[in-house]
Amino acid sequence: MNMKWFIFNLLFLSGCAFVTPSLQAQKTKYDRRMHRYRKHWENLIPTHLKLQYAGNMGAVSVGTGWDYGKRNQWETDVYLGFLPKNSSKRAKMTMTLKQNYMPWSWSVNDKLSIEPLACGLYMNTIFGDEFWAEEPERYPNGYYGFSTKVRFHAYLGQRFTININPQQRHSAKEVTFFYELSASDLYIASAVGNSYLKPRDYLSLSFGVKLQLF
């Protein structure tokens, strides 16, 4: 009887030796697939929040976005802006899609870093029936030749980033202050060949702050 049990256990253990690696391999493939699946969804989570004043995006704009690249030198932002009632009958909302690029970053010390050049392009639109993307039929063809609803912009600026001590972090790990000089496609076209226009006539100065969440 002991010999039979010995042979049975030997065969059972031998079978497990062949089955276990296969099961383990299947489990590993599943884990890798689930890890990739979760990572793709995690990439959709915004990595920062922004608040910007001026910039032809509204008086104040609030946005969120994503950092990526080897050094997080690329950013894509989405903003909602508010334009208060001035000469128009009512206040208005704007929406902006912005692409940023920071080619260099200099570390002054363990708490402060500077990005001496920030540049990018952005497109924004304003909500309201009085604005149009295509010229209305009531105007002669080519009377305006541009859209009053959609504008394209280019900008140059600088950034200053403060790294928050890990023991003092609450909702953000870094705070970045920035300023930008921007111009819209319409202003740039108007400035070309018009020497009477000064930089202050077509450039817009804006300021902002960025909270780095992740």
Side-chain angles (χ1 to χ4, degrees):
M1 181 65 67
N2 292 335
M3 181 60 68
K4 291 181 178 180
W5 275 108
F6 174 77
I7 296 174
F8 175 79
N9 289 332
L10 181 63
L11 292 174
F12 177 78
L13 293 174
S14 299
C16 289
F18 289 102
V19 173
T20 301
S22 176
L23 294 176
Q24 185 64 33
Q26 293 178 8
K27 183 178 179 181
T28 301
K29 291 179 180 178
Y30 172 81
D31 288 343
R32 288 199 297 265
R33 185 166 63 252
M34 288 298 101
H35 177 73
R36 289 195 299 269
Y37 177 79
R38 288 194 297 266
K39 187 175 181 181
H40 290 327
W41 279 105
E42 289 173 355
N43 289 337
L44 297 178
I45 301 175
T47 56
H48 61 258
L49 300 174
K50 286 186 179 180
L51 177 67
Q52 183 166 332
Y53 170 75
N56 292 313
M57 299 161 50
V60 178
S61 299
V62 178
T64 187
W66 300 263
D67 303 83
Y68 49 94
K70 292 182 179 180
R71 297 177 288 101
N72 284 337
Q73 72 272 30
W74 292 96
E75 289 177 355
T76 300
D77 299 326
V78 178
Y79 288 88
L80 283 177
F82 174 73
L83 192 62
K85 177 182 176 181
N86 290 320
S87 57
S88 60
K89 296 181 180 179
R90 59 182 177 83
K92 301 177 179 63
M93 298 294 295
T94 68
M95 186 175 183
T96 302
L97 178 63
K98 191 174 185 180
Q99 183 65 41
N100 312 298
Y101 176 61
M102 290 69 63
W104 307 291
S105 180
W106 298 343
S107 295
V108 178
N109 51 44
D110 57 349
K111 292 185 178 180
L112 177 64
S113 61
I114 299 175
E115 289 162 328
L117 175 63
C119 56
L121 302 171
Y122 58 98
M123 175 186 71
N124 72 310
T125 184
I126 185 168
F127 299 102
D129 295 335
E130 62 268 41
F131 303 97
W132 34 264
E134 295 183 0
E135 197 171 68
E137 294 182 355
R138 64 177 180 270
Y139 297 112
N141 187 29
Y143 183 80
Y144 278 102
F146 60 88
S147 166
T148 62
K149 191 177 185 66
V150 179
R151 292 265 69 80
F152 295 88
H153 306 258
Y155 82 87
L156 297 174
Q158 290 183 323
R159 299 185 176 194
F160 307 88
T161 298
I162 299 174
N163 182 40
I164 302 175
N165 190 301
Q167 286 74 31
Q168 298 176 337
R169 291 175 183 172
H170 295 286
S171 58
K173 68 174 186 177
E174 293 176 352
V175 179
T176 299
F177 300 93
F178 62 88
Y179 73 88
E180 299 172 355
L181 280 173
S182 62
S184 71
D185 52 353
L186 184 60
Y187 285 174
I188 293 174
S190 300
V192 174
N194 294 328
S195 58
Y196 62 88
L197 288 178
K198 305 301 180 183
R200 64 174 179 270
D201 296 323
Y202 53 85
L203 292 179
S204 175
L205 178 63
S206 60
F207 301 91
V209 59
K210 169 188 174 184
L211 297 180
Q212 190 71 43
L213 305 178
F214 305 107

